[in-house]
Every structure is written in C-alpha cells, then in structure tokens.
Amino acid sequence: MLRVVARRLSSLSAASWRPVTASSAAVSKGRHFPATGNSSSDDHRSAGFSDSAFFHHFDLSRRGFASESLVFKNEHSLLPDVPATVAAIKNPTSKIVYDEHNHERYPPGDPSKRAFAYFVLTGGRFVYASLIRLLILKFVLSMSASKDVLALASIEVELSSIEPGTTVTVKWRGKPVFIRRRTEDDIKLANSVDVASLRHPQEDIERVKNPEWLVVIGVCTHLGCIPLPNAGDFGGWFCPCHGSHYDISGRIRKGPAPFNLEVPTYTFLDENKLLIG
C-alpha cells in the first residue's frame, strides 16, 4: 500500500516539472537549426549557446525526457519507492534508533526500577516453586493407598463370642482368615508332632502368640483354594480341590500343598479383642 502511494506522489511531482520541459521543447521547436553549415554554427555561438550543452538539451527535449537538473529525486520525497527493510539492508549501520514517541526507555540498571524488577522476579519464582511442590505432592499422594483400601488394611475381631473347639472365618484384605479357639487337647496334639517329619518344618509355638488362639489365612498354598475347617485326616483343614490335609496348627501333613497355611500379622488388643493387620 505504501509503495502505491509513493509511486502516485512521485508521478504527481514529476508532472509538476513537465511544463518546464514542454516550454523548453517549444522553444527548441520554434527555432530551426539546420543539420549542416557553418553559418548555423556561427549563429549558435552568437546566441551564446554551447554546442554540446545545447544539443544535449535539445536531444533530451526532442525525445520527451527532461534534463538531469529537472529530474525529481527520491530523497526529497516523503514516501520513497524503496521499502524501509530494503533500505536498511542496502545501507547497514551500527547505530540503533529507538522510537521514543510511544515508549519511554530507561537506561539499564536504573536504580528507581531495580526494586520493582526484583519484586517481580522473586514473586514469579515463588509461584513456580509452589506449582512444582503441588505437582510433586499430587504425584506422591496418587501412589498411596486410598481410604477404602486403608479401611480394609486392618480389622478388629471380638473373641468373646467364639466357643472353644470352633473356627470363625473373617474377611481381611479380600481373603478369608480362620480364627480357631483351641482346646487343651488340640494344643497337646499340635505339640506332639515330630517336626522333622513335616514337609514344611515349623513348631507350633512359632505359629501362635497365644496357644489358645490360632490365626491363619484360609487360602491353600497349592492353587489358592479355600480349605474346609474341622476336616481332614488330622483334625485341622482339608482342601477338596486336590486333597491337601492340614493339622490343628495349620501345617501341611498330606497332599500336594508345599507350605503351611500362612499366618497373618495380628495383635491382641486385650483379652477378648484381636487386631488383624
């Protein structure tokens, strides 16, 4: 758009010089100069004209061009034809000119602006640090257990309602847990077993905290079936899936199971209350 305006202004400016060119052409046409002859050259000299200058001017006027002094220069134009970017490339300079009309420029390190700059930078860094801390906390908390999982992590069982010689099954972390209240005969039977003859040797005292109470996870160590309580050849548990027999202490005595029934983590809160987990 600027180039079109500049060309129109240039054409208007050139048009303003044409009357002078036309007048000079008219003067030249009004005078007839023969091509040859010494008299014509004498007349030229008497008129005070130089041959080279006159004929050069006459030739330019005849062809429709103005003399060099009448040419309108671009440097006098308000809108030159050459774009500013092209002019900057053609005339490189190390001097940088800033537009002070719309922007107020302060020298680097202005003491009056230093405190504000420090305040902005420090505030931005504080915001960034807070966001990073929040993201880290969110990431760590996302890996922790949820509330429903934590609620199932432990379970309290009331023992006063369990009769001697009976087994109670409770659910803990999605698995059945057998709680058996053993009699004196059960305790003597469990301690009378030759540990060396067991597939998974383990003393009865190692599997209980109170000889009266046996707490084991009710999952067969063979393929994960649930054994039946108070059954089997040894008065403990029997797995009907593949025929594994466990004794009164939950130890494997017969069948394909490789290990004894697992003992969970538990604590006696008082004489009649048990905390599993």
Side-chain angles (χ1 to χ4, degrees):
M1 187 67 183
L2 294 177
R3 292 183 180 179
V4 175
V5 175
R7 288 176 183 174
R8 289 185 179 180
L9 290 177
S10 300
S11 62
L12 292 176
S13 301
S16 62
W17 291 100
R18 287 179 183 175
V20 180
T21 306
S23 62
S24 61
V27 172
S28 301
K29 290 181 180 180
R31 298 175 61 92
H32 177 69
F33 298 99
T36 58
N38 294 331
S39 61
S40 62
S41 62
D42 294 337
D43 293 337
H44 296 165
R45 293 189 186 92
S46 63
F49 290 97
S50 174
D51 292 340
S52 60
F54 178 78
F55 282 105
H56 176 68
H57 177 73
F58 176 77
D59 185 62
L60 291 175
S61 300
R62 184 178 62 183
R63 293 183 182 181
F65 295 99
S67 61
E68 185 177 358
S69 61
L70 299 179
V71 176
F72 186 75
K73 301 296 183 179
N74 282 336
E75 58 266 15
H76 300 291
S77 176
L78 296 177
L79 296 174
D81 292 338
V82 181
T85 55
V86 178
I89 295 175
K90 290 184 177 181
N91 302 310
T93 178
S94 60
K95 184 179 179 181
I96 301 176
V97 180
Y98 296 96
D99 184 10
E100 303 293 345
H101 179 70
N102 295 325
H103 305 283
E104 185 178 2
R105 180 173 175 81
Y106 293 94
D110 188 11
S112 62
K113 298 296 180 180
R114 191 172 300 169
F116 178 75
Y118 287 162
F119 175 76
V120 172
L121 293 175
T122 305
R125 291 169 183 172
F126 177 77
V127 172
Y128 295 151
S130 301
L131 291 177
I132 293 173
R133 174 182 171 274
L134 181 61
L135 291 177
I136 293 175
L137 289 177
K138 289 288 186 181
F139 177 73
V140 172
L141 292 176
S142 65
M143 295 188 296
S144 61
S146 58
K147 293 183 178 180
D148 56 345
V149 175
L150 293 176
L152 297 175
S154 61
I155 183 175
E156 292 185 6
V157 181
E158 183 66 31
L159 302 177
S160 60
S161 60
I162 302 175
E163 298 293 333
T166 59
T167 303
V168 175
T169 304
V170 296
K171 188 176 180 180
W172 174 69
R173 294 183 180 179
K175 300 177 181 180
V177 176
F178 298 147
I179 303 174
R180 182 181 180 92
R181 187 172 186 178
R182 301 189 298 184
T183 61
E184 292 294 334
D185 295 337
D186 294 336
I187 297 172
K188 291 179 181 180
L189 181 61
N191 291 324
S192 63
V193 177
D194 185 10
V195 179
S197 63
L198 298 177
R199 182 180 303 171
H200 184 189
Q202 207 170 22
E203 294 282 351
D204 181 70
I205 194 63
E206 298 176 8
R207 298 176 56 80
V208 295
K209 294 184 178 181
N210 185 349
E212 184 180 2
W213 299 97
L214 175 67
V215 182
V216 292
I217 296 178
V219 177
C220 181
T221 58
H222 180 218
L223 292 178
C225 301
I226 299 177
L228 300 177
N230 301 321
D233 296 343
F234 302 91
W237 289 268
F238 171 72
C239 182
C241 298
H242 299 91
S244 297
H245 297 258
Y246 299 90
D247 64 7
I248 202 65
S249 186
R251 295 173 293 193
I252 181 63
R253 301 292 296 273
K254 184 180 177 181
F259 304 107
N260 302 331
L261 294 179
E262 183 182 356
V263 178
T265 303
Y266 66 93
T267 305
F268 287 97
L269 298 178
D270 54 38
E271 185 178 356
N272 294 318
K273 186 170 290 187
L274 178 69
L275 176 66
I276 303 175

